[in-house]
Amino acid sequence: MRDPLRPFVPQYHGMVSRGEQCYIRLEDLLSGLRRPVIMDCKMGVRTYQEEELAKARTKATLRSDMYQKMVKTDPSAPSAEEHAQKAVTKWRYLQWRDTTSSTATLGFRIEGIMMEDGSVQRDFRKIQTLAQVTEALLFFTRSQLDILKAYHSRLLALSEALTNSPFFRTHEVIGSSLLFVHDHSNKASVWMIDFGKTTPVPDTSKLQHNVPWAEGSREDGYLIGLSSLISSLSQAISVVSWQQEDSGGENKSGT
Ligand code: I3P
C-alpha cells in the first residue's frame, strides 16, 4: 500500500492458519508501551452500512440481543411493536446507538477508555457536546499537556494524509475507529483500525467525508468526526495551558 494513510494503519504481516481458521497478522500497536492508556473512538456520523437499512426494510432479521441491550439502557426506547416482538432489527439498534450518542451530531463517539491500571470505562453515552468530549480527553490524558499536544499533531497529520489519500477518496469508511494510545513515558500515537465495514464506492463517485449523510450518498461523515476531535483537543490544550499559567502566577505571587 503506497497510500499516504500507510503510516496511520497497523502493518500487515500476512496470513496465518490456526486449525480450520485463517487469520491476518497485524502490527502490535501497543508494542514498546508500558501500562498503556487506550481510547477507542468510533468515527463517522453513522455506524451502519446502507445495505443494513435495505435489509431492515426487506428481509429483516430480528435481534433479541439488541432489544435487550436497548431496554437495559432505556426501557422506553423500543416502540410498542418492538416490545411486543421483544426484538429489533440491527439497523434500528445501530441507528438508535448513533442518535443517542455523539455519533450523529459530532461525527464520532468514544467507545471505551482503558486506564493504566487496566480499568475499562465504556459508558460514554451521555457525551453529546464538544465540551463533554474535552472533559473526557482531560480525564483520559490526566491533563498532561505533552500528550494532548502529541495527539493533536498526530490528528493534524492524519487530516492531511486523508486529504491526499486516493484510498480514502474512494472508500466509504463505516464503523472504523481511531485508537489513541499513550504511556507514562509520553509516547503517544493514534491509529486507524477496524476496516470490516469499509467498502469501495463505484469508480464514478468520490466521497467528500465532510458532509451529512443522505440515503444513497454513501457519505460517512468521517472528517466531521475528525474535525470535532481536533477542536476538542485544542480546547483541552487551552484549558491545561491556562491552568498552568494560573498556578505559575500563584506560585510567583506567593514567593
Ligand atoms: C455493537 C456494535 C458493533 C456491531 C455489533 C453491535 O453494539 O455496534 O459495532 O458490530 O453488531 O452489537 P454495542 O457496541 O452497542 O454493543 P459490527 O460493527 O460488526 O456491525 P453485531 O452484534 O451484529 O456484531
Side-chain angles (χ1 to χ4, degrees):
M1 182 189 183
R2 281 167 166 259
D3 195 274
L5 288 183
R6 190 170 178 162
F8 296 91
V9 294
Q11 267 188 47
Y12 170 66
H13 294 304
M15 306 284 293
V16 278
S17 303
R18 292 276 182 276
E20 307 260 290
Q21 304 292 329
C22 248
Y23 300 90
I24 54 169
R25 279 175 58 144
L26 294 174
E27 179 184 357
D28 175 6
L29 301 178
L30 303 182
S31 166
L33 295 178
R34 282 194 50 213
R35 290 162 49 89
V37 185
I38 306 169
M39 175 172 74
D40 181 306
C41 291
K42 199 174 263 201
M43 302 301 290
V45 291
R46 67 189 157 101
T47 62
Y48 54 88
Q49 292 175 305
E50 292 192 1
E51 70 179 32
E52 203 62 61
L53 174 55
K55 259 193 253 165
R57 287 182 182 137
T58 52
K59 45 179 175 121
T61 312
L62 290 176
R63 297 275 302 257
S64 55
D65 59 328
M66 289 184 158
Y67 168 80
Q68 295 300 341
K69 285 199 275 186
M70 211 167 166
V71 170
K72 203 171 159 199
T73 309
D74 178 6
S76 69
S79 66
E81 189 188 359
E82 289 163 345
H83 273 307
Q85 64 201 14
K86 293 198 181 316
V88 294
T89 64
K90 179 166 177 172
W91 169 75
R92 162 80 167 116
Y93 175 77
L94 295 184
Q95 195 226 25
W96 170 76
R97 285 282 279 122
D98 293 352
T99 50
T100 54
S101 66
S102 58
T103 288
T105 49
L106 299 180
F108 81 99
R109 68 173 175 253
I110 301 175
E111 281 285 271
I113 289 181
M114 189 180 94
M115 298 306 279
E116 60 280 348
D117 61 359
S119 61
V120 176
Q121 299 216 17
R122 285 192 187 280
D123 195 9
F124 294 98
R125 281 167 212 261
K126 291 196 185 94
I127 291 189
Q128 297 283 346
T129 65
L130 221 50
Q132 290 169 316
V133 174
T134 305
E135 278 299 307
L137 290 174
L138 291 170
F139 163 77
F140 166 62
T141 59
R142 297 208 190 279
S143 299
Q144 295 172 86
L145 198 52
D146 288 352
I147 291 176
L148 286 165
K149 284 183 175 170
Y151 281 141
H152 187 255
S153 341
R154 177 83 169 157
L155 289 192
L156 289 180
L158 171 63
S159 175
E160 193 177 338
L162 288 167
T163 310
N164 297 319
S165 163
F167 180 90
F168 191 55
R169 220 169 295 137
T170 54
H171 285 73
E172 175 191 15
V173 184
I174 299 294
S176 174
S177 286
L178 284 180
L179 194 74
F180 291 68
V181 290
H182 66 266
D183 71 2
H184 68 284
S185 67
N186 287 4
K187 277 190 207 128
S189 197
V190 185
W191 301 93
M192 291 177 81
I193 59 165
D194 292 349
F195 297 101
K197 293 197 282 189
T198 293
T199 46
V201 289
D203 289 348
T204 45
S205 54
K206 288 197 171 50
L207 294 176
Q208 300 178 70
H209 300 281
N210 61 358
V211 291
W213 172 67
E215 195 177 345
S217 71
R218 310 266 312 258
E219 289 290 353
D220 51 36
Y222 192 102
L223 293 178
I224 297 176
L226 186 60
S227 128
S228 298
L229 269 167
I230 291 173
S231 302
S232 202
L233 275 166
S234 297
Q235 274 182 18
I237 290 169
S238 302
V239 168
V240 177
S241 304
W242 291 330
Q243 282 169 351
Q244 290 188 354
E245 274 169 33
D246 271 4
S247 60
E250 274 164 30
N251 286 344
K252 270 179 221 147
S253 61
T255 51

